Amino acid sequence: DAFVEKFIRAAQKRWPGVMIQFEDFAQPNAMPLLKRYRDNVCCFNDDIQGTAAVTVGTLLAACRKKGEKLREQKVVFVGAGSAGCGIAEQIIMQMKAEGLDDATARSQVFMIDRHGLLTEGMEGLRDFQQALVQKKSALTDWHYSSEYATLVDVMHCAKPGILIGVSGVPGLFTEQAIQAMHKGTKSPIIFPLSNPIKQIEARPEQILEWTKGQAIIATGSPFGEIEYKGKPYHVAQCNNAYIFPGIGLGVIASKARLISDEM
């Protein structure tokens, strides 16, 4: 912390008005550092805010393709670290911009970590995870065998339209889970965002096979064109690299003093 503080002060002294980008800070450090500096230093955390902004932009394009609004969707995350929770908060902000109140927007977002669905009363959660738990009262009609609902349980009970993977664990989007999701929505939006490719939750060709070619897919890693039953599919890349030119040029052009979530 002392080193980061020293660096930030030195950078500001050397380059007045400099924009500072936090990148690849460990989960216990990333959010506290962002909260500490964001209101008095021109800075952003790429893994939290950059990934979130690009993902929400990609989701808006996917919803437009379906002819629906983001506010109408239920969203499931596999991976409830700082990146996943950062994306979730940005999605909630967009849902509110589309007319939902905060409580309703939060009720439509389901965060899953290695223990299962983040649920009210779960122990050991960080502050940013506590804001995204599902209330027990909302799960009274759910049926699940473990202490906390699994991904397949959430697919059956919540019937989400969007599934996002930021777990870094390969193969977590199983055929059973994807088919359970497809049963509840004709054109599921599925984003396995973990990279590199060896850590992806499911490969796009698997997802197309399991959804009979009806899924709308974006990945964190680049994939070439793939084919399903003789039809070519272009796989969009949803990667936080796309935020750098826009936010960097925007800060320079506007002489921004701080960087907000809305920006």
Side-chain angles (χ1 to χ4, degrees):
D1 284 353
F3 174 78
V4 171
E5 174 71 18
K6 190 171 185 177
F7 169 79
I8 286 177
R9 298 307 159 204
Q12 288 182 307
K13 185 177 178 181
R14 177 65 182 82
W15 298 287
V18 65
M19 181 185 81
I20 294 171
Q21 174 188 321
F22 291 100
E23 179 81 29
D24 287 345
F25 277 74
Q27 182 174 302
N29 305 324
M31 196 70 84
L33 283 171
L34 178 62
K35 285 184 176 178
R36 183 182 306 159
Y37 290 110
R38 65 177 304 168
D39 292 331
N40 50 55
V41 174
C42 185
C43 67
F44 79 107
N45 182 295
D46 177 49
D47 304 293
I48 299 171
Q49 296 163 290
T51 301
V54 175
T55 304
V56 171
T58 310
L59 284 175
L60 291 174
C63 289
R64 193 178 302 126
K65 184 171 182 176
K66 286 183 71 171
E68 297 175 359
K69 294 285 189 181
L70 186 57
R71 67 168 186 255
E72 300 167 346
Q73 309 300 317
K74 290 180 180 176
V75 186
V76 172
F77 282 84
V78 178
S82 53
C85 292
I87 299 169
E89 291 292 350
Q90 193 86 9
I91 287 172
I92 288 165
M93 191 174 80
Q94 177 61 28
M95 285 178 167
K96 288 162 68 176
E98 293 180 5
L100 294 189
D101 60 66
D102 187 75
T104 303
R106 290 183 186 278
S107 74
Q108 293 176 198
V109 176
F110 302 81
M111 310 297 298
I112 298 171
D113 73 357
R114 64 184 183 277
H115 300 299
L117 178 68
L118 296 197
T119 307
E120 190 178 27
M122 187 182 268
E123 294 181 0
L125 299 183
R126 300 186 182 278
D127 290 347
F128 60 84
Q129 294 172 318
Q130 287 284 4
L132 292 162
V133 297
Q134 282 289 318
K135 295 188 182 303
K136 285 183 177 177
S137 58
L139 309 179
T140 51
D141 295 333
W142 286 34
H143 300 285
Y144 46 94
S145 51
S146 305
E147 185 178 3
Y148 300 108
T150 65
L151 175 59
V152 174
D153 293 332
V154 174
M155 290 304 177
H156 283 303
C157 298
K159 295 181 171 51
I162 296 171
L163 173 62
I164 297 172
V166 279
S167 67
V169 181
L172 276 186
F173 291 179
T174 62
E175 181 176 2
Q176 183 187 12
I178 297 298
Q179 287 184 341
M181 181 184 188
H182 190 216
K183 204 171 181 181
T185 181
K186 184 182 176 184
S187 299
I189 297 170
I190 301 175
F191 289 5
L193 298 183
S194 292
N195 54 43
I197 287 174
K198 66 180 181 180
Q199 292 178 272
I200 197 167
E201 287 81 8
R203 295 182 65 89
E205 58 268 28
Q206 294 175 308
I207 295 170
L208 284 174
E209 183 72 37
W210 298 336
T211 61
K212 299 181 171 59
Q214 293 181 315
I216 299 170
I217 304 168
T219 57
S221 299
F223 279 85
E225 193 171 79
I226 59 175
E227 192 175 285
Y228 174 73
K229 292 193 172 179
K231 182 180 174 183
Y233 285 82
H234 172 73
V235 180
Q237 188 183 3
C238 176
N239 189 287
N240 53 0
Y242 289 118
I243 204 67
F244 305 147
I247 200 74
L249 184 59
V251 165
I252 292 167
S254 65
K255 295 183 172 62
R257 190 174 57 82
L258 301 173
I259 297 173
S260 68
D261 284 330
E262 290 79 8
M263 289 162 66

